[in-house]
Structures are given as structure tokens and as C-alpha cells.
Amino acid sequence: MSKKIDERIPQNSGEGSGFKNYYGIQSPWNRIYSYQEALHYASRFESVLSAATLQALRIIVPDYAERAQLMCEEAYARLYNTGKYYGDDDGFGIHPFFCGQFAGALIGDKGDDALLMCGRCQDFGTYRAEKELDVCDWDICGSELCRTTTMSLQGQAAASAERRRKGPDIDYMMVEAKGCGDRHCRIIAESREKYPAPPHELWQSFGPAVTDEYKKYTQEEDCVEESMMFREECGYHFVNGTNNTTDSSNQMINMSTGASLYILPAIAETVKRGYVTRAQADHILKCVLEASGKAMFGERYAIKGCRDWMGVPDSIGEDGRVMGGLIEMLLQSLVCKYDVEAFNKNEVILAIDRTGLEITGTKDVPEAHLWMWQGMIKTLVNVQWSLWEEESPKGKMRIKIAKKIDKFM
């Protein structure tokens, strides 16, 4: 090891010894967690970050209907335009003879399961589709996001339908949402030609559905807690109604998030529309994310839980390596490349691949993480320690963790 990097057990330790190989993440103190646990950790962290970014958007656009409409418009247009040119029909099990917007349900179904939002398709047909979710880590963000995801699916369904011969249009609605306190998330899509209903604004994408009497409700004791790729009854594979099959290695291991897919792009849209300048938007985001980061470890038991989870030895006290180790665990879980330039009692320096954090191509995601981490270190370690970006080479976000006195902090 470099003199600047504390000794740590190599990740390939034991290779050739006859022990089995396992896929997972490893802390600097040799605490190892499985691929499944890594995905759940990343999903929850990114959902918390997403909830904080939505709070920033609520400051920028205080009116609920106006904010939800903006989010829905932005997401619909972006996913529709992307879908026009991204025709991965085989990847979703969309057959060439399909016509109409119902095929968009296959896109949503696969995406849900990949993001650990497990549940089941209750109906899938030309004029009606229904999807019921038992788990959604994004539920802590709020109902505007529930509306927005529904309209992004509407955009993808419209684009998918345009790649084939003309068929029925269907109206996607979320008639139950965990983000509103419902037991399930439930999207019901209906052909308005077959099931007429009054027109609604784009953001008014909640139910009730015309076909509510067809709704199939799963009792709580029969609900699932894991995606198909982590369930024996499914052969540890995702398999949809058209027999499209993928294993866990093909899932969204970089964990697209509410923030990266919908909220940060909506904040960028507020800049385009003149609600705020880019500098004002960044200032609001930084303030909210720093405060959220501090709140994560405001209670002492949260600090202990984090240290125990990573296996931090008692010999390491209030030390920047604790924060550096936690960031490494997240980066590994997101399959984001990084280099460790320093890891010792005086400083931690990590050079992070920006593209690995720019999930779904959203450019503001690395900064969102940086601001969250800047808050976290103040309570996970103490306020003598700071985290900042310094001398980043092209394509990298080089962060430094060290003691720092700042009279304007």
C-alpha cells in the first residue's frame, strides 16, 4: 500500500484458496456485503437524496399543481423523445405484431423490478393494463413524483406505439400511490375509446379508473418484498408476460433514481423557464442537501450503526476515514469507478468517475452527492472535518476529506 493509504485487505484476498467467489462490496475494514444488500443500500440512499432534491424544487415552485404540471411536462417530453429513437423492443419483450400504447406497460414492468419496486402485473391487454407494486423506495419523496413517473411512462408508451402500426391509445393513471400513503402503488391504463372518461390535465394523472371494478387487490400477507431476481419461486430471474427473461446481472445496477430521472431534470427546467437562475437553483439545492446530510447522523445511535455496519475498529475515533469508507461503499454499490489517492488519519482523497455518478446522463447528480456528503461529515464525524472538491482532473470529481477551519461555513 502507498504510505498515504492505510493497509487494507485486498478485495481478491483468498483467490485460489478453494473458497467460493461472491459478488458484493467490501469496506476498507473488510466488512463484506452481498450484491443484493448492496443494491438495497444504494437504493435507499439515493431515495433519501431524491427526497431532499424534491424539497429544493418545492422551494423553487411552491404551488403544488404548478410544480406537478412542470415535472410531468418535462418528464413526458424527455421520455417521449428518448423513446422515439430508443427502440429496444427485444429488451422489453415487445413483439413486432404489437400495436398501440399498451406495450409501454412492459417497459414500466421491467424498470420497476430492476429498481427493486417489486409487485405484479394484474392485467395486460390491448385496451387495459394494471400493475400493482408492493415495495417502492421512492415513496418517501412525495406524490408529485408519483404523478411524474406515471406521465413518463405515458411518454414512453406513446413513443413505443409510434414505432409500430397504429393501435389503441391508452391513458395511464396511478390510482393508488405509496407516496400518498396507500398500501400499494397501482397503475391502471385504459383505452378511452373503450372506457370513456372526462379529459384531465397532464398532472392530474391519479384515478379513479373507469374499470375500478376490475381491480385485483393483493392482501398484505400475500405481498412480496423482493424483486423477481432475488426470489426462488422466479428462478432468480425477471420474467414478464411475454417471456422476456433477464438475470440480476442485466438489471439497473447503477440504480437510476427519482432525483436523476425526474427531479434534477425538473429543476433544470425551472432554470430554462426563468423561475430561478442556475446559481440560485444550485444554492437552494446545496442548502437543502447539506441539511439533509447532517440530519442523517444527527442522532448518536445512527453513527454507531454506520460504524458497526462498516466494521470500523474502535481504535479509529472521530476520523475522516469513517466518511471516506462510507462513500466507498456507496460508489461500489453504484458500480462507480474511483481511485483512492489517500486514506489515513489525516486525510482521505478519492478521485471519482463523474460519468459513474451521472446516472441516466443527468449532469447535476455528482454535485448533489457532493453537497449531501458535505453535510453528512459534520455529524458522522464532527465539525472539525470538512469535505470538498479539489483539483479535479477532466472527467473526475476529486474529493478531499480533512480538518479545515472555515469562518464562513
Side-chain angles (χ1 to χ4, degrees):
M1 284 289 175
S2 161
K3 291 182 179 180
K4 296 188 71 173
I5 301 175
D6 289 349
E7 182 178 340
R8 61 171 71 179
I9 302 295
Q11 293 200 345
N12 65 344
S13 175
E15 186 176 354
S17 65
F19 279 76
K20 292 181 178 179
N21 292 327
Y22 294 95
Y23 300 100
I25 59 174
Q26 181 178 344
S27 82
W29 303 281
N30 204 31
R31 188 61 58 85
I32 298 174
Y33 290 97
S34 71
Y35 173 77
Q36 178 188 17
E37 291 169 299
L39 288 193
H40 278 288
Y41 163 60
S43 178
R44 187 61 174 180
F45 180 91
E46 297 298 327
S47 295
V48 171
L49 185 146
S50 299
T53 60
L54 189 50
Q55 293 300 104
L57 181 57
R58 287 168 175 155
I59 294 171
I60 297 170
V61 188
D63 182 75
Y64 181 95
E66 183 179 1
R67 182 172 63 251
Q69 179 72 16
L70 180 147
M71 292 177 69
C72 289
E73 288 174 357
E74 191 283 329
Y76 180 94
R78 179 165 45 86
L79 273 297
Y80 169 76
N81 287 327
T82 301
K84 284 176 67 176
Y85 306 104
Y86 176 67
D88 185 22
D89 290 348
D90 288 342
F92 293 107
I94 301 174
H95 293 294
F97 55 80
F98 281 4
C99 64
Q101 294 184 1
F102 82 103
L106 293 174
I107 299 173
D109 184 29
K110 186 172 184 178
D112 287 341
D113 213 69
L115 290 168
L116 310 182
M117 300 175 183
C118 50
R120 64 204 58 78
C121 275
Q122 299 283 33
D123 194 5
F124 178 66
T126 305
Y127 302 101
R128 187 183 188 276
E130 180 181 346
K131 176 67 181 293
E132 182 183 59
L133 290 182
D134 300 336
V135 174
C136 174
D137 279 346
W138 297 6
D139 56 9
I140 58 175
C141 295
S143 60
E144 307 100 301
L145 184 58
C146 306
R147 297 177 187 272
T148 305
T149 59
T150 307
M151 285 303 96
S152 77
L153 180 56
Q154 185 82 61
Q156 291 178 82
S160 173
E162 288 183 11
R163 296 197 299 270
R164 285 175 293 279
R165 58 193 175 90
K166 177 66 177 172
D169 293 340
I170 58 177
D171 185 16
Y172 285 77
M173 297 174 297
M174 190 171 285
V175 299
E176 296 173 45
K178 290 179 68 66
C180 299
D182 287 308
R183 174 62 190 87
H184 296 94
C185 290
R186 187 185 312 278
I187 286 183
I188 294 178
E190 302 168 322
S191 163
R192 289 289 161 246
E193 184 177 356
K194 186 169 184 177
Y195 304 109
H200 58 81
E201 296 292 330
L202 193 67
W203 73 275
Q204 294 174 322
S205 51
F206 283 179
V210 176
T211 58
D212 261 353
E213 69 273 17
Y214 297 154
K215 184 169 66 177
K216 299 178 180 68
Y217 186 88
T218 302
Q219 296 301 316
E220 189 164 356
E221 60 269 21
D222 297 321
C223 291
V224 295
E225 297 180 352
E226 292 284 0
S227 295
M228 295 173 74
M229 60 180 167
F230 295 133
R231 293 184 358 234
E232 182 182 16
E233 64 183 1
C234 305
Y236 302 108
H237 284 70
F238 169 79
V239 184
N240 70 7
T242 58
N243 206 34
N244 174 251
T245 305
T246 57
D247 62 24
S248 58
S249 67
N250 291 318
Q251 298 297 64
M252 297 179 183
I253 54 176
N254 66 347
M255 298 307 297
S256 299
T257 69
S260 64
L261 278 171
Y262 302 112
I263 306 168
L264 288 171
I267 290 176
E269 184 67 17
T270 68
V271 175
K272 288 182 184 178
R273 298 189 186 190
Y275 285 85
V276 288
T277 65
R278 185 69 254 183
Q280 289 169 331
D282 287 345
H283 174 70
I284 293 168
L285 273 167
K286 186 175 190 292
C287 290
V288 172
L289 286 164
E290 280 187 355
S292 300
K294 290 176 183 178
M296 287 186 73
F297 298 101
E299 298 292 348
R300 302 296 180 185
Y301 59 77
I303 300 171
K304 183 180 187 305
C306 179
R307 291 174 63 98
D308 290 348
W309 184 68
M310 290 192 293
V312 181
D314 292 339
S315 59
I316 294 179
E318 294 180 333
D319 187 313
R321 286 173 288 184
V322 180
M323 184 69 204
L326 186 59
I327 292 173
E328 285 196 58
M329 296 292 272
L330 178 65
L331 295 175
Q332 291 176 48
S333 299
L334 295 172
V335 198
C336 176
K337 295 179 181 179
Y338 66 95
D339 297 313
V340 182
E341 296 183 10
F343 194 93
N344 57 66
K345 65 180 181 179
N346 297 316
E347 64 177 358
V348 173
I349 300 175
L350 303 175
I352 303 167
D353 179 22
R354 287 189 65 92
T355 58
L357 278 182
E358 289 173 357
I359 305 166
T360 70
T362 303
K363 301 299 181 184
D364 305 328
V365 175
E367 280 66 35
H369 284 78
L370 178 68
W371 295 328
M372 190 92 163
W373 295 336
Q374 287 172 339
M376 289 165 60
I377 195 169
K378 299 300 182 183
T379 49
L380 179 59
V381 186
N382 67 46
V383 293
Q384 288 181 284
W385 290 82
S386 293
L387 184 155
W388 64 94
E389 184 176 5
E390 181 180 87
E391 299 176 355
S392 294
K394 185 177 181 181
K396 301 278 189 178
M397 184 171 74
R398 185 175 181 270
I399 62 169
K400 183 172 182 177
I401 301 171
K403 287 186 175 180
K404 184 179 184 182
I405 298 172
D406 185 349
K407 301 298 186 183
F408 297 92
M409 182 168 59

